[in-house]
Short mmCIF file of all heavy atoms in Angstrom, two decimals:
data_model
loop_
_atom_site.label_atom_id
_atom_site.label_comp_id
_atom_site.label_asym_id
_atom_site.label_seq_id
_atom_site.Cartn_x
_atom_site.Cartn_y
_atom_site.Cartn_z
N ARG A 9 -20.38 15.51 14.82
CA ARG A 9 -19.99 16.85 15.31
C ARG A 9 -18.97 17.55 14.45
O ARG A 9 -18.69 18.75 14.59
CB ARG A 9 -19.41 16.69 16.71
CG ARG A 9 -20.39 16.17 17.79
CD ARG A 9 -19.76 16.26 19.17
NE ARG A 9 -18.56 15.42 19.27
CZ ARG A 9 -18.58 14.10 19.53
NH1 ARG A 9 -19.73 13.49 19.73
NH2 ARG A 9 -17.45 13.44 19.58
N ASP A 10 -18.33 16.76 13.51
CA ASP A 10 -17.30 17.33 12.65
C ASP A 10 -17.84 18.38 11.74
O ASP A 10 -18.95 18.18 11.19
CB ASP A 10 -16.60 16.20 11.88
CG ASP A 10 -15.74 15.27 12.75
OD1 ASP A 10 -15.56 15.63 13.94
OD2 ASP A 10 -15.41 14.20 12.27
N GLU A 11 -17.08 19.41 11.52
CA GLU A 11 -17.49 20.43 10.56
C GLU A 11 -16.59 20.35 9.30
O GLU A 11 -17.00 20.84 8.23
CB GLU A 11 -17.35 21.82 11.21
CG GLU A 11 -18.32 22.06 12.34
CD GLU A 11 -18.19 23.45 12.92
OE1 GLU A 11 -17.35 24.23 12.42
OE2 GLU A 11 -18.98 23.78 13.84
N LYS A 12 -15.44 19.76 9.46
CA LYS A 12 -14.45 19.69 8.33
C LYS A 12 -14.24 18.25 7.92
O LYS A 12 -14.04 17.38 8.71
CB LYS A 12 -13.13 20.32 8.70
CG LYS A 12 -12.13 20.37 7.58
CD LYS A 12 -10.81 21.01 8.07
CE LYS A 12 -9.83 21.04 6.94
NZ LYS A 12 -8.52 21.66 7.40
N GLU A 13 -14.34 18.02 6.61
CA GLU A 13 -14.09 16.69 6.06
C GLU A 13 -12.62 16.36 6.03
O GLU A 13 -11.75 17.30 6.04
CB GLU A 13 -14.70 16.53 4.67
CG GLU A 13 -16.21 16.63 4.66
CD GLU A 13 -16.81 16.41 3.30
OE1 GLU A 13 -16.08 16.61 2.30
OE2 GLU A 13 -18.00 16.01 3.22
N PHE A 14 -12.25 15.09 6.02
CA PHE A 14 -10.87 14.68 5.90
C PHE A 14 -10.67 13.79 4.69
O PHE A 14 -11.62 13.13 4.21
CB PHE A 14 -10.37 14.03 7.18
CG PHE A 14 -10.84 12.62 7.35
CD1 PHE A 14 -9.98 11.55 7.06
CD2 PHE A 14 -12.13 12.29 7.76
CE1 PHE A 14 -10.40 10.22 7.22
CE2 PHE A 14 -12.56 11.02 7.89
CZ PHE A 14 -11.69 9.96 7.60
N ASN A 15 -9.41 13.70 4.21
CA ASN A 15 -9.07 12.85 3.09
C ASN A 15 -8.22 11.70 3.65
O ASN A 15 -7.14 11.94 4.20
CB ASN A 15 -8.33 13.63 2.02
CG ASN A 15 -7.75 12.74 0.97
OD1 ASN A 15 -6.52 12.55 0.87
ND2 ASN A 15 -8.61 12.17 0.12
N PRO A 16 -8.65 10.43 3.55
CA PRO A 16 -7.87 9.30 4.07
C PRO A 16 -6.47 9.23 3.58
O PRO A 16 -5.51 8.90 4.33
CB PRO A 16 -8.69 8.08 3.70
CG PRO A 16 -10.10 8.57 3.52
CD PRO A 16 -9.96 10.00 2.96
N LEU A 17 -6.24 9.47 2.26
CA LEU A 17 -4.95 9.38 1.70
C LEU A 17 -4.03 10.43 2.33
O LEU A 17 -2.85 10.17 2.72
CB LEU A 17 -4.99 9.61 0.17
CG LEU A 17 -3.66 9.61 -0.57
CD1 LEU A 17 -2.93 8.31 -0.37
CD2 LEU A 17 -3.88 9.91 -2.08
N GLU A 18 -4.53 11.65 2.50
CA GLU A 18 -3.73 12.70 3.12
C GLU A 18 -3.42 12.31 4.59
O GLU A 18 -2.30 12.57 5.05
CB GLU A 18 -4.51 14.01 3.10
CG GLU A 18 -3.74 15.18 3.68
CD GLU A 18 -4.57 16.46 3.60
OE1 GLU A 18 -5.47 16.52 2.77
OE2 GLU A 18 -4.23 17.41 4.37
N THR A 19 -4.37 11.65 5.27
CA THR A 19 -4.15 11.24 6.69
C THR A 19 -3.01 10.25 6.71
O THR A 19 -2.16 10.27 7.61
CB THR A 19 -5.43 10.65 7.25
OG1 THR A 19 -6.46 11.65 7.20
CG2 THR A 19 -5.23 10.16 8.66
N LEU A 20 -3.02 9.27 5.78
CA LEU A 20 -1.92 8.28 5.74
C LEU A 20 -0.61 8.98 5.52
O LEU A 20 0.43 8.64 6.15
CB LEU A 20 -2.19 7.23 4.65
CG LEU A 20 -3.40 6.30 4.86
CD1 LEU A 20 -3.47 5.28 3.69
CD2 LEU A 20 -3.35 5.55 6.16
N LYS A 21 -0.55 9.86 4.56
CA LYS A 21 0.73 10.53 4.19
C LYS A 21 1.23 11.37 5.36
O LYS A 21 2.46 11.58 5.50
CB LYS A 21 0.50 11.39 2.96
CG LYS A 21 0.37 10.56 1.69
CD LYS A 21 0.25 11.45 0.43
CE LYS A 21 0.27 10.60 -0.82
NZ LYS A 21 0.17 11.46 -2.02
N ASN A 22 0.33 11.91 6.15
CA ASN A 22 0.72 12.80 7.28
C ASN A 22 1.00 11.99 8.58
O ASN A 22 1.25 12.56 9.60
CB ASN A 22 -0.38 13.83 7.56
CG ASN A 22 -0.44 14.89 6.46
OD1 ASN A 22 0.51 15.10 5.73
ND2 ASN A 22 -1.60 15.51 6.33
N SER A 23 0.95 10.64 8.47
CA SER A 23 1.14 9.82 9.65
C SER A 23 2.11 8.69 9.34
O SER A 23 1.80 7.51 9.22
CB SER A 23 -0.21 9.18 10.12
OG SER A 23 -1.20 10.12 10.36
N PRO A 24 3.39 9.11 9.09
CA PRO A 24 4.43 8.09 8.74
C PRO A 24 4.52 6.99 9.75
O PRO A 24 4.32 7.25 10.95
CB PRO A 24 5.71 8.90 8.69
CG PRO A 24 5.30 10.33 8.53
CD PRO A 24 3.95 10.42 9.24
N PRO A 25 4.74 5.69 9.30
CA PRO A 25 5.02 5.29 7.93
C PRO A 25 3.79 4.73 7.25
O PRO A 25 3.89 3.81 6.40
CB PRO A 25 6.06 4.20 8.14
CG PRO A 25 5.56 3.48 9.38
CD PRO A 25 4.98 4.54 10.23
N SER A 26 2.59 5.28 7.54
CA SER A 26 1.33 4.62 7.11
C SER A 26 1.25 4.48 5.61
O SER A 26 0.85 3.44 5.05
CB SER A 26 0.15 5.43 7.66
OG SER A 26 0.23 5.59 9.05
N PHE A 27 1.53 5.58 4.86
CA PHE A 27 1.44 5.51 3.37
C PHE A 27 2.42 4.54 2.82
O PHE A 27 2.07 3.72 1.98
CB PHE A 27 1.66 6.91 2.84
CG PHE A 27 1.55 6.97 1.29
CD1 PHE A 27 0.38 6.73 0.67
CD2 PHE A 27 2.70 7.24 0.56
CE1 PHE A 27 0.30 6.76 -0.71
CE2 PHE A 27 2.65 7.32 -0.84
CZ PHE A 27 1.44 7.03 -1.48
N SER A 28 3.69 4.57 3.23
CA SER A 28 4.68 3.66 2.69
C SER A 28 4.37 2.24 3.14
O SER A 28 4.68 1.29 2.38
CB SER A 28 6.10 4.04 3.16
OG SER A 28 6.18 4.07 4.56
N PHE A 29 3.79 2.02 4.28
CA PHE A 29 3.39 0.72 4.75
C PHE A 29 2.37 0.08 3.77
O PHE A 29 2.48 -1.07 3.37
CB PHE A 29 2.81 0.79 6.15
CG PHE A 29 2.33 -0.50 6.72
CD1 PHE A 29 3.30 -1.42 7.22
CD2 PHE A 29 1.04 -0.83 6.84
CE1 PHE A 29 2.90 -2.63 7.77
CE2 PHE A 29 0.61 -2.03 7.37
CZ PHE A 29 1.56 -2.94 7.88
N HIS A 30 1.34 0.85 3.38
CA HIS A 30 0.33 0.34 2.46
C HIS A 30 0.95 0.06 1.11
O HIS A 30 0.65 -0.99 0.48
CB HIS A 30 -0.79 1.37 2.33
CG HIS A 30 -1.75 1.34 3.51
ND1 HIS A 30 -1.43 1.80 4.75
CD2 HIS A 30 -3.04 0.88 3.61
CE1 HIS A 30 -2.44 1.65 5.56
NE2 HIS A 30 -3.44 1.09 4.89
N LYS A 31 1.77 0.96 0.61
CA LYS A 31 2.43 0.72 -0.68
C LYS A 31 3.29 -0.50 -0.68
O LYS A 31 3.37 -1.29 -1.63
CB LYS A 31 3.23 1.96 -1.10
CG LYS A 31 2.45 3.14 -1.53
CD LYS A 31 3.30 4.19 -2.17
CE LYS A 31 3.75 3.74 -3.56
NZ LYS A 31 4.51 4.83 -4.29
N LYS A 32 4.01 -0.74 0.44
CA LYS A 32 4.91 -1.85 0.57
C LYS A 32 4.17 -3.19 0.55
O LYS A 32 4.67 -4.16 -0.02
CB LYS A 32 5.71 -1.77 1.85
CG LYS A 32 6.77 -2.85 2.02
CD LYS A 32 7.82 -2.77 0.94
CE LYS A 32 8.89 -3.81 1.13
NZ LYS A 32 9.93 -3.80 0.08
N ILE A 33 3.00 -3.24 1.11
CA ILE A 33 2.24 -4.49 1.08
C ILE A 33 1.99 -4.87 -0.39
O ILE A 33 2.18 -6.07 -0.78
CB ILE A 33 0.88 -4.32 1.81
CG1 ILE A 33 1.10 -4.21 3.33
CG2 ILE A 33 -0.09 -5.48 1.48
CD1 ILE A 33 -0.13 -3.91 4.11
N TRP A 34 1.59 -3.92 -1.23
CA TRP A 34 1.25 -4.26 -2.61
C TRP A 34 2.52 -4.49 -3.43
O TRP A 34 2.54 -5.38 -4.30
CB TRP A 34 0.41 -3.16 -3.24
CG TRP A 34 -1.00 -3.19 -2.64
CD1 TRP A 34 -1.56 -2.21 -1.92
CD2 TRP A 34 -1.90 -4.24 -2.72
NE1 TRP A 34 -2.85 -2.58 -1.55
CE2 TRP A 34 -3.10 -3.84 -2.04
CE3 TRP A 34 -1.91 -5.46 -3.33
CZ2 TRP A 34 -4.20 -4.64 -1.91
CZ3 TRP A 34 -3.04 -6.29 -3.23
CH2 TRP A 34 -4.18 -5.88 -2.53
N SER A 35 3.57 -3.73 -3.22
CA SER A 35 4.81 -3.97 -3.95
C SER A 35 5.41 -5.32 -3.59
O SER A 35 5.90 -6.07 -4.44
CB SER A 35 5.79 -2.81 -3.77
OG SER A 35 6.23 -2.75 -2.43
N TRP A 36 5.39 -5.64 -2.30
CA TRP A 36 5.91 -6.97 -1.88
C TRP A 36 5.11 -8.08 -2.52
O TRP A 36 5.70 -9.06 -3.05
CB TRP A 36 5.80 -7.11 -0.36
CG TRP A 36 5.92 -8.52 0.10
CD1 TRP A 36 7.07 -9.24 0.28
CD2 TRP A 36 4.84 -9.39 0.45
NE1 TRP A 36 6.78 -10.51 0.71
CE2 TRP A 36 5.42 -10.66 0.79
CE3 TRP A 36 3.45 -9.27 0.46
CZ2 TRP A 36 4.63 -11.73 1.19
CZ3 TRP A 36 2.68 -10.37 0.83
CH2 TRP A 36 3.25 -11.60 1.19
N PHE A 37 3.81 -7.96 -2.50
CA PHE A 37 2.99 -9.03 -3.05
C PHE A 37 3.20 -9.21 -4.55
O PHE A 37 3.36 -10.34 -5.03
CB PHE A 37 1.51 -8.80 -2.72
CG PHE A 37 0.60 -9.95 -3.08
CD1 PHE A 37 0.83 -11.20 -2.42
CD2 PHE A 37 -0.39 -9.87 -3.99
CE1 PHE A 37 0.00 -12.28 -2.72
CE2 PHE A 37 -1.22 -10.93 -4.29
CZ PHE A 37 -1.00 -12.13 -3.68
N TYR A 38 3.32 -8.11 -5.30
CA TYR A 38 3.46 -8.22 -6.75
C TYR A 38 4.90 -8.76 -7.02
O TYR A 38 5.05 -9.56 -7.98
CB TYR A 38 3.21 -6.90 -7.45
CG TYR A 38 2.98 -7.15 -8.95
CD1 TYR A 38 1.97 -7.99 -9.36
CD2 TYR A 38 3.74 -6.51 -9.89
CE1 TYR A 38 1.72 -8.20 -10.68
CE2 TYR A 38 3.53 -6.74 -11.25
CZ TYR A 38 2.51 -7.61 -11.64
OH TYR A 38 2.29 -7.83 -12.98
N GLU A 39 5.89 -8.32 -6.30
CA GLU A 39 7.24 -8.88 -6.50
C GLU A 39 7.25 -10.36 -6.21
O GLU A 39 7.96 -11.11 -6.90
CB GLU A 39 8.26 -8.12 -5.64
CG GLU A 39 8.55 -6.68 -6.09
CD GLU A 39 9.10 -6.67 -7.52
OE1 GLU A 39 9.96 -7.46 -7.86
OE2 GLU A 39 8.60 -5.80 -8.31
N SER A 40 6.51 -10.81 -5.23
CA SER A 40 6.40 -12.23 -4.92
C SER A 40 5.76 -12.99 -6.03
O SER A 40 6.21 -14.08 -6.40
CB SER A 40 5.62 -12.43 -3.60
OG SER A 40 6.26 -11.79 -2.53
N LEU A 41 4.72 -12.42 -6.66
CA LEU A 41 4.10 -13.06 -7.78
C LEU A 41 5.09 -13.20 -8.94
O LEU A 41 5.18 -14.24 -9.59
CB LEU A 41 2.89 -12.22 -8.24
CG LEU A 41 1.64 -12.16 -7.30
CD1 LEU A 41 0.66 -11.17 -7.86
CD2 LEU A 41 1.03 -13.49 -7.10
N LYS A 42 5.77 -12.10 -9.23
CA LYS A 42 6.75 -12.13 -10.32
C LYS A 42 7.86 -13.13 -10.11
O LYS A 42 8.26 -13.86 -11.05
CB LYS A 42 7.28 -10.74 -10.59
CG LYS A 42 6.27 -9.74 -11.11
CD LYS A 42 6.91 -8.49 -11.70
CE LYS A 42 7.55 -7.63 -10.65
NZ LYS A 42 8.06 -6.36 -11.19
N GLU A 43 8.38 -13.14 -8.89
CA GLU A 43 9.47 -14.07 -8.56
C GLU A 43 8.99 -15.53 -8.72
O GLU A 43 9.69 -16.39 -9.28
CB GLU A 43 9.94 -13.83 -7.13
CG GLU A 43 11.12 -14.73 -6.76
CD GLU A 43 11.58 -14.48 -5.35
OE1 GLU A 43 10.97 -13.65 -4.66
OE2 GLU A 43 12.54 -15.18 -4.94
N PHE A 44 7.76 -15.80 -8.20
CA PHE A 44 7.25 -17.17 -8.32
C PHE A 44 7.08 -17.56 -9.79
O PHE A 44 7.41 -18.64 -10.25
CB PHE A 44 5.94 -17.30 -7.59
CG PHE A 44 5.39 -18.70 -7.57
CD1 PHE A 44 5.80 -19.63 -6.63
CD2 PHE A 44 4.45 -19.11 -8.53
CE1 PHE A 44 5.31 -20.90 -6.62
CE2 PHE A 44 3.96 -20.41 -8.54
CZ PHE A 44 4.38 -21.33 -7.57
N HIS A 45 6.56 -16.59 -10.56
CA HIS A 45 6.31 -16.82 -12.03
C HIS A 45 7.63 -17.14 -12.74
O HIS A 45 7.72 -18.08 -13.55
CB HIS A 45 5.67 -15.60 -12.64
CG HIS A 45 5.43 -15.66 -14.11
ND1 HIS A 45 4.46 -16.38 -14.68
CD2 HIS A 45 6.12 -15.01 -15.11
CE1 HIS A 45 4.52 -16.23 -15.97
NE2 HIS A 45 5.48 -15.44 -16.27
N GLN A 46 8.64 -16.31 -12.51
CA GLN A 46 9.91 -16.55 -13.14
C GLN A 46 10.57 -17.82 -12.80
O GLN A 46 11.11 -18.57 -13.67
CB GLN A 46 10.85 -15.33 -12.79
CG GLN A 46 10.43 -14.04 -13.40
CD GLN A 46 11.03 -12.87 -12.78
OE1 GLN A 46 11.85 -12.97 -11.81
NE2 GLN A 46 10.69 -11.63 -13.21
N ASN A 47 10.49 -18.23 -11.50
CA ASN A 47 11.05 -19.50 -11.10
C ASN A 47 10.30 -20.66 -11.69
O ASN A 47 10.90 -21.69 -12.03
CB ASN A 47 11.04 -19.58 -9.57
CG ASN A 47 12.09 -18.64 -8.94
OD1 ASN A 47 13.10 -18.34 -9.59
ND2 ASN A 47 11.85 -18.25 -7.69
N LYS A 48 8.98 -20.52 -11.83
CA LYS A 48 8.22 -21.60 -12.44
C LYS A 48 8.58 -21.77 -13.93
O LYS A 48 8.69 -22.93 -14.38
CB LYS A 48 6.70 -21.26 -12.30
CG LYS A 48 5.81 -22.37 -12.83
CD LYS A 48 4.33 -22.15 -12.36
CE LYS A 48 3.70 -20.93 -12.99
NZ LYS A 48 2.27 -20.77 -12.64
N LEU A 49 8.83 -20.68 -14.61
CA LEU A 49 9.21 -20.80 -16.03
C LEU A 49 10.60 -21.48 -16.10
O LEU A 49 10.82 -22.32 -17.02
CB LEU A 49 9.33 -19.42 -16.65
CG LEU A 49 7.95 -18.71 -16.91
CD1 LEU A 49 8.21 -17.34 -17.55
CD2 LEU A 49 7.07 -19.54 -17.81
#
């Protein structure tokens, strides 16, 4: 029934904290990888 399309990224940005939540998952995971790597060295 929809006549207008939507953009998922815009929807996340317009629904705080959805966009920052997604970004945080990836930044947390990569920081965890780097920390583990540095401690292993």
Side-chain angles (χ1 to χ4, degrees):
R9 297 186 300 272
D10 291 347
E11 296 182 358
K12 183 179 179 182
E13 294 184 335
F14 76 101
N15 172 250
L17 177 59
E18 182 180 339
T19 300
L20 294 182
K21 288 183 174 180
N22 290 337
S23 306
S26 305
F27 179 67
S28 59
F29 180 76
H30 282 72
K31 287 192 71 175
K32 183 63 178 179
I33 289 174
W34 290 116
S35 63
W36 163 82
F37 189 61
Y38 198 56
E39 288 301 315
S40 299
L41 293 174
K42 290 195 291 186
E43 181 181 2
F44 185 85
H45 176 76
Q46 290 163 1
N47 289 334
K48 185 166 66 175
L49 289 181

